[in-house]
Amino acid sequence: MEQFDDAYFRKLANQIMFDLSEEEIRELKGEFTTLLEQLDLLNRIDTEGVEEMIYPFETPTHYLRKDVSDHVISKEEALRNVASVKEGHVAVPKVVK
């Protein structure tokens, strides 16, 4: 867990504009340790000869409804509701690096 020192968590928090207390950093380090241990256990599972699954259920599901568009507004109408438009798209400020 040496790669995840306090500075690592402070840098990540800064990049996503969070402030972390010392207690929060300790909690995150503990959670990361637990997560890494669990991932290590999963990596040790012998999957030799196990066929990959494309879908988590063996039988197809039929309970999903078909999407039906019943009220569609134009792009221009949608863009009238936003504060900033750039090149025909909604423009939002960048919040992460």
Side-chain angles (χ1 to χ4, degrees), residues 20-34:
L20 291 177
S21 67
E22 293 300 320
E23 181 181 342
E24 291 170 322
I25 290 174
R26 278 193 306 276
E27 288 177 20
L28 276 174
K29 286 170 86 171
E31 290 176 18
F32 265 61
T33 300
T34 301

Side-chain angles (χ1 to χ4, degrees), residues 12-65:
L12 286 178
N14 182 279
Q15 289 176 341
I16 56 175
M17 297 182 180
F18 279 171
D19 291 323
L20 291 177
S21 67
E22 293 300 320
E23 181 181 342
E24 291 170 322
I25 290 174
R26 278 193 306 276
E27 288 177 20
L28 276 174
K29 286 170 86 171
E31 290 176 18
F32 265 61
T33 300
T34 301
L35 179 63
L36 291 173
E37 289 169 356
Q38 291 172 344
L39 288 173
D40 184 51
L41 285 172
L42 289 173
N43 284 334
R44 286 192 250 153
I45 295 174
D46 180 17
T47 57
E48 188 69 32
V50 177
E51 187 175 334
E52 294 179 6
M53 294 180 73
I54 296 172
Y55 196 70
F57 306 106
E58 291 188 20
T59 57
T61 55
H62 298 288
Y63 57 85
L64 300 176
R65 66 171 171 76

